[in-house]
């Protein structure tokens, strides 16, 4: 039975065999290192958490027609571009 906050994983047999031959002090060092890595991983995960933001709450009301008449489209907008336009950017 595993505690509620732990994750059950398969540990490869060679890892377990390697741990068995270590002295108790060395096994403690391995455990401490694993704990260190676990805490570091949790800290990194916490740094990458994104705070949820209510978009509708922070959105300002749009004003329709605010820039009316400020832009224009050329009369030949839908005409095909000349071949020279396409040839300018090619590398030789």
């Amino acid at each position: 039975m595993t505690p509620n906050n732990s994750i059950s994983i398969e540990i490869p047999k060679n890892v377990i065999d390697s741990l068995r031959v270590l002295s108790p002090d060395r096994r403690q060092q391995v455990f401490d290192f694993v704990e260190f890595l676990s805490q570091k991983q949790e800290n990194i995960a916490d740094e990458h958490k994104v705070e949820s933001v209510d978009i509708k709450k922070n959105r300002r009301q749009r004003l329709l027609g605010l820039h009316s008449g400020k832009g224009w489209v050329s009369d030949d907008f839908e005409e095909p571009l000349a071949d020279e336009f396409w040839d300018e950017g090619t590398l030789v």
Side-chain angles (χ1 to χ4, degrees):
M1 179 183 277
T2 60
N4 291 338
N5 61 350
S6 69
I7 297 172
S8 176
I9 60 169
E10 291 284 328
I11 300 174
K13 185 180 181 319
N14 62 342
V15 173
I16 294 173
D17 292 341
S18 297
L19 288 171
R20 284 190 177 127
V21 298
L22 294 176
S23 69
D25 290 342
R26 293 288 187 218
R27 282 195 299 255
Q28 184 61 46
Q29 287 180 339
V30 170
F31 177 74
D32 292 342
F33 184 65
V34 170
E35 284 293 309
F36 165 76
L37 291 176
S38 176
Q39 290 174 359
K40 187 173 181 178
Q41 183 171 334
E42 288 174 8
N43 291 342
I44 290 171
D46 288 343
E47 289 173 5
H48 288 91
K49 285 184 182 173
V50 177
E51 189 175 317
S52 63
V53 177
D54 185 4
I55 295 174
K56 292 181 181 179
K57 176 182 168 187
N58 294 330
R59 186 183 297 170
R60 293 185 300 174
Q61 183 67 33
R62 294 182 182 194
L63 300 175
L64 297 177
L66 184 63
H67 297 288
S68 180
K70 303 283 182 178
W72 61 275
V73 176
S74 175
D75 293 335
D76 64 350
F77 177 76
E78 293 186 20
E79 297 296 321
L81 295 171
D83 290 335
E84 295 83 30
F85 174 83
W86 299 107
D87 293 335
E88 285 179 17
T90 59
L91 297 176
V92 178

